Amino acid sequence: MVKLNKIYTRTGDAGTTGLVDGSRLPKHAPRMQAVGDVDEANSAIGLAVIAMGARPETRWLTVIQNDLFDLGADLATPIPKGADEPWALRIVATQVQRLEEEIDMMNADLAPLDSFILPGGSAAAAAVHLARAITRRAERSATAAAAEVALNPHALAYLNRLSDLLFVLARRLNDNGAGDVKWVPGASR
């Protein structure tokens, strides 16, 4: 477990931050942008949990929040040339598969889309849509970082499935899609 006795260390005052292996890099490095965007997505999911109230799906989201801390650690742990370190905390295929199973279960009750939908409807669905949009940004940041450094492909897949799950969950929260707000192209012309 992590034990934090002191919150400030002053080690980042010069604009660098430490990775899990002890190496340092600029706080603006693509890897750190991805870590920060994952943290922001996690925070947005926390707000969505509050907006959803006592629904069964909130448990899924709290599990996902824990996964996102694992994912942040994964992104902040360089993959050495050759074999990965056995101690490294990595997102694994079964976590991605769990998201796919949850998506399939929720999607079974939804009517097929006949239009794009606007991010809204109920307050809970709007909060989940916001978390989805931030998750998409985290995915873009992670793929940008992966163009420069080796990243775990399961971490990238997890972010992609998570945004899908959040989209389907938002529809579920909008009365299984009946409360979705449909996009009307050119409606305000």
Side-chain angles (χ1 to χ4, degrees):
M1 289 300 286
V2 175
K3 183 177 181 184
L4 300 173
N5 291 338
K6 192 172 183 181
I7 299 304
Y8 65 89
T9 62
R10 296 188 177 113
T11 58
D13 290 353
T16 66
T17 193
L19 297 178
V20 173
D21 69 353
S23 63
R24 299 193 69 77
L25 66 142
K27 290 185 179 191
H28 62 271
R31 177 189 296 269
M32 295 316 301
Q33 182 67 46
V35 170
D37 287 345
V38 166
D39 183 39
E40 188 177 349
N42 202 345
S43 298
I45 290 172
L47 285 174
V49 166
I50 292 167
M52 288 169 57
R55 293 183 57 104
E57 298 91 348
T58 59
R59 184 184 174 291
W60 298 345
L61 293 185
T62 57
V63 168
I64 287 167
Q65 285 190 286
N66 197 79
D67 285 351
L68 288 176
F69 255 80
D70 291 353
L71 198 149
D74 188 336
L75 296 175
T77 305
I79 297 175
K81 290 189 177 14
D84 198 6
E85 302 289 350
W87 53 262
L89 180 58
R90 301 285 182 207
I91 294 295
V92 295
T94 55
Q95 289 170 292
V96 176
Q97 182 180 1
R98 187 190 73 241
L99 295 180
E100 291 173 354
E101 290 167 1
E102 291 169 355
I103 292 167
D104 291 344
M105 187 275 307
M106 286 189 293
N107 208 36
D109 296 332
L110 297 175
L113 286 171
D114 57 6
S115 173
F116 287 106
I117 60 172
L118 302 178
S122 68
V128 170
H129 274 298
L130 179 61
R132 175 194 50 78
I134 295 169
T135 299
R136 282 281 191 219
R137 178 167 14 103
E139 181 185 11
R140 290 189 303 272
S141 296
T143 59
E148 293 189 5
V149 297
L151 293 180
N152 175 7
H154 296 303
L156 301 176
Y158 188 94
L159 287 169
N160 186 271
R161 291 315 174 286
L162 177 56
S163 62
D164 294 338
L165 180 138
L166 294 170
F167 177 78
V168 173
L169 176 58
R171 294 198 67 220
R172 181 179 175 113
L173 294 170
N174 275 339
D175 195 21
N176 282 336
D180 286 340
V181 180
K182 293 184 178 181
W183 172 48
V184 180
S188 61
R189 290 184 179 182

